[in-house]
Amino acid sequence: MEAVDLRRDTLARIAPRLRVPGYDPAAVRAGIVHLGLGAFHRAHMARYTHALMERRADALDWGIVGAGLLPADRRVRDCLLPQDGLYTLVERDGVEETAGVIGSLAEVVYAGDTTEGLLARMEDPAIRLVSLTVSENGYGLNPATRALDPEHPMIRADLAAPARPRSAVGVIVEAYRRRMEAGGRAFTAMSCDNIQGNGGVLRAAVLSLAGMRDARLAGWIEEHGAFPETMVDRITPATRPDQVAQLERDYGLRDRWPVFSERFTQWVIEDRFAAGRPEWEEVGAQFVPDVAPYEIMKLRLLNGSHLAIAALGRLMGHRFVHEVMADDRMRAYMAALMDRETGPTLAPVPGVDLGAYKRDLVARFANPAIEDTVERINTDAPVNLLVMPIEASLAAGGEVELLALALAAWMRRLRGRDDRGEAIEIRHPLAALLQERAAEGGADPGPLLSVESLFGGLRHEARFVEALRRWMASLHEAGASATLDRALGGG
């Protein structure tokens, strides 16, 4: 049978084993603008919103305007517009998979050339929530202080032309200004990025930029806006061309950009909104008064472990996370890292069995159906995911040996070659500086540690620096595999 092109008018022709929306996607009306329409948002927040629309007709008013701000986001628009904003989400757990068409996107906007059309959309009072997944690099922050950096190129551009902002923070500030001048109601700004205290970080950045423009605007946002904290969790790799072909072969559906994710999903949200919200708790989200315990748990145990094993695994020549986890030594390293160093920095998490959570993480990382690449993690995950637990453990008098090894591997990777001599592409906002310092230091981490914007005052922590130097020397002299043996007591 010939494959079907995904569009609203072809939904009735899609094979029965692939779920289609139980509501009319043409009836979806925009209530949310989301900045950063990547795979993660489409596997997570858009998925929850779609599930709610399946249950409640009034949820159709919470459709999502997905907006891209970067040149790479043009492809998302070009793929999704011919599909009426529809896309397929395939959820896998290593044993079985389910696939369904998601219909919660009301519009798709590319704002990489100009943000005027996006801002005009955000002026609409029907938009009550602006969410974002732009990664920590998209906020224009000083990495060490996590405060807005006025010298960041994006922020400087926004201050020079505030009515034509380029950054996510600048777009939010200008949209708030337009609401204020029109006498309208403020929307909620909700970060879904992996940043500790993401709501507070976003709020501080928005108020800082607004204050640089107009003290009255900053005061209005502070009084009327809302910035809830969130914790989002679902492993979602970038979609590969062979997966697009696989979807067409297995399901008879041509989708230009489907999304593939694990089946596990978790979303914890602070219930603080300025203009109402979807009833996401009906489809599995948790609304709590304090997100911090859940957020720190995820950042320390999941994200920190992810970066630790990805850096070491790449040096050993692995391409996929499940390949890394097939090595019993890496599983033992990850378990020890969580048990001895990152886990003890956590406060109790209501309703969570931390032992079970850690065991589940090992199983999730080992899931071969996800095919998540170590380079996605090494590129997308900020090194803060290691720096912050190191600082927390040092402050508590705890161990930092295994965290020091993880950071040593992250630094060793900056040399641009793995232990087999194969090239490693380094993609980071400070890539040129980091590679220069890595070459200067060799086995000495000192030049890299002096990059205060990334590593803060860690260079002054003698106990940590001693461990870092030892692991760096071992990685350079013996390689990642032998160094891992030493870390586990085998050498």
Side-chain angles (χ1 to χ4, degrees):
M1 185 176 66
E2 185 178 353
V4 175
D5 290 308
L6 180 57
R7 298 189 307 271
R8 288 175 185 164
D9 63 0
T10 63
L11 289 175
R13 295 165 48 199
I14 291 175
R17 60 190 293 257
L18 198 157
R19 299 190 309 270
V20 298
Y23 55 89
D24 180 4
V28 173
R29 296 168 292 276
I32 300 169
V33 165
H34 183 81
L35 308 178
L37 187 60
F40 181 74
H41 169 75
R42 292 193 287 143
H44 199 272
M45 181 176 169
R47 172 68 173 86
Y48 279 87
T49 305
H50 164 84
L52 187 61
M53 290 175 174
E54 297 271 31
R55 294 172 62 98
R56 300 177 56 140
D58 59 354
L60 298 180
D61 290 339
W62 287 104
I64 299 167
V65 178
L69 296 172
L70 301 175
D73 294 326
R74 189 192 302 271
R75 182 187 167 201
V76 181
R77 179 205 55 189
D78 292 347
C79 288
L80 295 185
L81 276 184
Q83 299 180 178
D84 302 315
L86 301 172
Y87 63 92
T88 312
L89 174 62
V90 181
E91 298 165 316
R92 296 169 160 175
D93 63 6
V95 176
E96 60 180 351
E97 70 177 31
T98 57
V101 174
I102 305 298
S104 55
L105 294 182
E107 301 172 36
V108 180
V109 175
Y110 174 63
D113 296 327
T114 173
T115 52
E116 181 52 42
L118 172 60
L119 287 164
R121 198 69 188 85
M122 294 169 72
E123 287 184 72
D124 185 346
I127 301 300
R128 290 156 283 169
L129 172 61
V130 175
S131 55
L132 62 163
T133 46
V134 295
S135 84
E136 188 168 335
N137 295 328
Y139 287 71
L141 305 178
N142 178 308
T145 65
R146 298 167 74 235
L148 191 75
D149 181 1
E151 298 304 313
H152 191 286
M154 289 191 307
I155 303 306
R156 290 179 65 183
D158 287 352
L159 289 170
R164 300 186 301 278
R166 292 169 47 192
S167 74
V169 173
V171 166
I172 291 171
V173 169
E174 175 60 13
Y176 271 136
R177 186 197 67 79
R178 295 186 181 197
R179 292 284 186 103
M180 179 185 74
E181 296 296 344
R185 187 175 186 181
F187 52 78
T188 298
M190 183 175 72
S191 170
C192 296
D193 280 302
N194 286 326
I195 302 173
Q196 187 170 327
N198 55 11
V201 169
L202 177 61
R203 178 180 183 275
V206 166
L207 291 178
S208 178
L209 184 58
M212 294 176 197
R213 293 185 54 180
D214 178 357
R216 183 173 68 98
L217 172 60
W220 186 86
I221 296 171
E222 188 168 20
E223 180 179 357
H224 299 287
F227 301 84
E229 305 279 349
T230 69
M231 183 274 266
V232 294
D233 186 3
R234 178 169 245 193
I235 298 172
T236 309
T239 304
R240 304 190 312 271
D242 65 290
Q243 292 176 316
V244 177
Q246 179 190 354
L247 181 73
E248 181 174 344
R249 183 180 65 250
D250 293 350
Y251 292 93
L253 182 66
R254 278 191 291 266
D255 182 340
R256 293 169 176 84
W257 208 337
V259 179
F260 292 75
S261 78
E262 65 174 340
R263 294 177 68 89
F264 178 91
T265 183
Q266 186 178 20
W267 195 10
V268 184
I269 312 166
E270 180 187 12
D271 201 354
R272 178 155 52 99
F273 290 76
R277 62 167 178 80
E279 303 294 327
W280 283 312
E281 65 269 33
E282 293 188 14
V283 289
Q286 298 169 256
F287 284 91
V288 299
D290 184 10
V291 173
Y294 302 90
E295 180 180 58
I296 296 173
M297 173 189 73
K298 191 245 179 176
L299 292 172
R300 302 266 168 93
L301 298 182
L302 187 151
N303 298 109
S305 299
H306 236 168
L307 188 53
I309 66 162
L312 270 173
R314 183 63 189 87
L315 292 178
M316 295 165 67
H318 294 303
R319 292 292 187 270
F320 294 98
V321 174
H322 70 271
E323 292 175 345
V324 176
M325 298 302 288
D327 185 333
D328 289 341
R329 299 174 304 161
M330 292 299 296
R331 296 169 77 106
Y333 168 71
M334 177 176 162
L337 177 67
M338 294 188 292
D339 288 342
R340 298 179 198 169
E341 299 187 10
T342 53
T345 68
L346 303 179
V349 185
V352 175
D353 179 338
L354 286 177
Y357 182 83
K358 289 185 284 187
R359 289 190 295 274
D360 287 345
L361 282 180
V362 173
R364 290 170 63 192
F365 287 8
N367 181 358
I370 299 303
E371 297 183 307
D372 199 7
T373 65
V374 294
E375 277 310 288
R376 180 191 74 84
I377 297 161
N378 286 326
T379 298
D380 293 348
V383 73
N384 228 12
L385 293 170
L386 298 176
V387 172
M388 294 187 76
I390 289 168
E391 292 173 336
S393 192
L394 287 170
E399 296 183 38
V400 290
E401 280 288 327
L402 301 179
L403 282 164
L405 172 56
L407 187 57
W410 190 92
M411 290 179 165
R412 161 66 183 82
R413 180 181 159 274
L414 295 172
R415 297 298 301 274
R417 296 279 172 185
D418 66 17
D419 289 347
R420 301 177 182 179
E422 295 181 6
I424 299 175
E425 182 183 3
I426 306 301
R427 288 176 288 165
H428 189 281
L430 300 177
L433 173 63
L434 293 173
Q435 289 185 280
E436 176 187 310
R437 297 290 176 87
E440 175 188 346
D444 176 11
L448 279 167
L449 275 182
S450 68
V451 182
E452 188 173 348
S453 63
L454 290 184
F455 304 110
L458 284 184
R459 68 185 184 278
H460 302 302
E461 297 287 350
R463 180 162 63 94
F464 169 74
V465 172
E466 189 278 328
L468 182 66
R469 288 185 185 280
R470 181 167 13 89
W471 291 128
M472 280 286 280
S474 181
L475 288 170
H476 277 77
E477 296 165 7
S481 182
T483 299
L484 180 59
D485 284 336
R486 293 173 183 175
L488 297 174

